[in-house]
Structures are given as C-alpha cells and as structure tokens.
Amino acid sequence: MFALVDCNNFYASCERLFRPELRGKPVVVLSNNDGCVIARSQESKDLGIKMGTPWHFIQKEMKHLGVVQASSNYTLYADISARVMQNLARFTPNIEVYSIDESFLDLSGFSVCKTNLNAYGRLIRKTVLRNTGIPVGVGIAPTKTLAKIANKLSKKSKGVCVLNTPEKITEALQDFPIEDIWGIGGASAKKLWLKDIKTALHLREQPLDWVQKTFTIQGARMWYELHGRSCLPLSQVFERKKGVCTSRAFGKLTDNYGELEEATTNYASRLSEKLRKDRSCATLLSVRLLTNQFRKELPQIYPVVLIKLPHPTNNTLDLVKYSLEGLKKVYVKGYLFLKVELLATGLIPESEVQLNLFESYKGKERNKVSEVMDRLNLHFGKGTLRIATEGKTHAWTMRRQFLSPSFTTKWEDIIRVG
DNA sequence: TCTGGGGTCCTAGGACCC
DNA sequence: TCTGGGGTCCTAGGACCC
C-alpha cells in the first residue's frame, strides 16, 4: 500500500501560517514578476480564480473582493516543506519526497489491518497539522496512481481516503474524470474525449494493446496501476539531476547589453550555487536569450549556443566566464529581451572529476573562491560577496511587490512574541 | 505596463559502428 | 528477382509533472 500525502493549497497555506489575520480570507500567490496566479486558498478557488491566470487581467476586480495577493517566497516554502517532510518520515521508514508539497509513503505491512489504515491516515493529518500548521490530505491505495486518485478524493471526505478493496477502487474510478489522472495531460485527454472515454474506469476497460499503442509504455503502466498492479516503485535513492537550469524573466524588457551582462552574471552565480549544492559539475552549458512571446507586435528571436566546457566545473568564476562568452555569441541588436536562460547539462559527480595531466587548470584555487563565497553568503546573507559584473543597479531584477517576510530563515524577519 | 520556473521520460530518426 | 543484422549515440520534439 502507498499513501500520498499532499499539502492543501501549499503556498497559500504557508503565507497564512504566520499571518493569522489572513485566515478565512481569499489568498493568492503569484509567480515570479507577480505574473500569474500559481496558488489559491480555498476561498480564492471558491471565487472562481483559475490556476495560471495572469494576475493583471483580474487584479482590479479581485482586490475589490478582498483577495490578498502575495509574491512567491520560495525560501519560506522550502523551509516549511522540509518541516512537513520531516514529520511524514516518522510514519514509515520508506518515503519518497515527490515534490515541494507531496510525498509517497510506503505502507506495505500496514495493509493487513484494513480498518487501521483510515485511522493511520487521520493520525498523519493530525500530527502534521499540529507540528507545522499545514493542513494535508491523505490518499491510500495499492498503487501510486490509485493513491493519487485517493488523495484527490480525500479533499471531499475529511482529508483521508482509503481505496483498499477492488469494489472501492472500481467505485472511485467510475466518476473520476480522465483528465485528473496522474499522467494524463491536455493532449491525451483530448484523444480520449474524441473516443468518448471520459472516466478512469472507462479507460481501464480499454484493451491494453490499444492503450499502449496510443499512449506508449507510460500509458501501459498507467493501465496496470489502475488495475491495482504496482508498476511505479517508490524511488528513495538520491538521483543526480540530469540538468540544472536558471531561467528567469527580467522585471522589464531590455536591449541594453550591459544589463544583460549583469543579469547573466547573476544567473550564472545562482546556477553554480545550485550545482555545488548537488555536488555536481557541468560539462555542457547552454546560453539562450528570449524575447517576449506575448508581445506579438515585437520581433521575436530565441538564439541559443551550446558550449562544451573544457573542464567539468561548478565554480562561479568559470561559469560566469563561459556564460558571458555565450551571451556575446547569442546577442543581436534590435531586439527587446525578456529573459536569459542558462542550462547546465552533462552533469557528473564532483568527486569524479578527472584532472587532465597536460592542462594547466586553476581549478583548485577557483573552487576555493567559490567555497569562500558560499560561506560568506550563508553567514551574512545572499549576495554579500558577488562577482563585479553583476553590477549594482539591478535594473533587471524581477518584480516582487507583495513579498512576505522570510519568517523562518532570516534573523530580522523572525516573529517577536510578547 | 503586466503572461513562471523548474524538472522528467519517451520516441523517432539520423549517423555511425562491426 | 533477390541487397544483413545487430548495435550505440546523439538530437529534437512532444508530453507530462508540480
């Protein structure tokens, strides 16, 4: 048996955590640059606010209705997430942290006592809520796909839903919309609707070879999982990422090369920090510039260059240098750019970097510089020590007009009591 | 004025190898 | 008449996830 535990309206719940005055009020969390709605409290959902709506389309009207807006504060969410996951890990030795707000728990061995699963689910909910203040939903079923479905259904049944018999599973699938199944996106849903297949049960009744032919091996796995045969194991081992990406829209469009250089330096620094955190080194780096695709009246261009790094690296000085070289190659005059995207691939473990006997590489010294930067920035705050080409004006930084305090990760933002 | 930022897996097709 | 049979690696693109 698997349990899927997921946090309700996670980002919105985090925003409310230390601001009790927001309880019961509609809250929305916005994407970078305060662009789109990416999380909604229940009250906001009830107002009909859709996921992904550009905020400026509806902002006026929503403010009128008393909706509270928040810029996304990932530092806060990541810290609260870690607390939730720590609590979940107390319930089983085998847990897969699937995303920032959900985890799969392996409950095999618990399945013998059927009546207990419901109680166990309730205990998980109660514990996480008491220890972190975050409400969660629990879905329990014999496969991950079914646990996902149970989790969705749990929102309508006091936060816990257990599907542990064939009858209960069939009943749940009967009314479950095809497009809500884990692994069915827009394109697949369309194909199924055209064949008049609208529920999970109806999909499960289709012949396996048709499902496999239409939706490849992933569709076949889904089919088995819907039948209660587990094909997607819990993955607990740490797996090195295949790519690390830093890509962020600027606060405004720009054709100023100096500003692009500053932004690129900043993004390359962030990229190398991420690589060091994962103890990975990159062998390939791609640099891309992008114009604003929504401004149809402006000329569009998305030039990219792939750089083979002469030596696997994760240090800031190297990556800034090669990123700026890449920028020079892709930059063209006459366009307004919205975004620069840096993608590091061909990742290998830091510990397996081979030294080249014939190459005079100043890796060690440069790595030391990065280590010192990390230490200082951890101690004195982000950006304390940075590369000079990052500049001081930061005209390109994103808009975050409604940013909440980092209540749990920044000394000056910690709440005072009494 | 304003439209996110990260990832994963799978397939097809081309180039190349023996 | 008749033109092998197995591989690998790489890239691009599609679809999906949160």
Side-chain angles (χ1 to χ4, degrees), chain A residues 118 121-122 125 136-138 153-161:
Chain A
N118 223 300
R122 286 200 301 272
R125 273 200 72 175
V136 298
V138 184
L153 297 176
S154 77
K155 316 274 170 181
K156 286 175 200 156
S157 56
K158 295 186 180 169
V160 180
C161 172

Side-chain angles (χ1 to χ4, degrees), chain A residues 2-27:
Chain A
F2 295 93
L4 176 68
V5 183
D6 109 327
C7 303
N8 300 344
N9 318 323
F10 183 54
Y11 297 170
S13 299
C14 288
E15 290 295 336
R16 285 221 269 233
L17 205 49
F18 298 99
R19 292 197 277 173
E21 71 275 14
L22 298 186
R23 285 186 199 157
K25 283 199 183 153
V27 175

Side-chain angles (χ1 to χ4, degrees), chain A residues 375-394:
Chain A
R375 271 216 301 279
L376 286 172
N377 289 332
L378 181 69
H379 192 87
F380 294 104
K382 280 179 187 168
T384 301
L385 186 61
R386 53 183 195 269
I387 305 292
T389 38
E390 206 178 292
K392 283 207 297 197
T393 56
H394 285 212

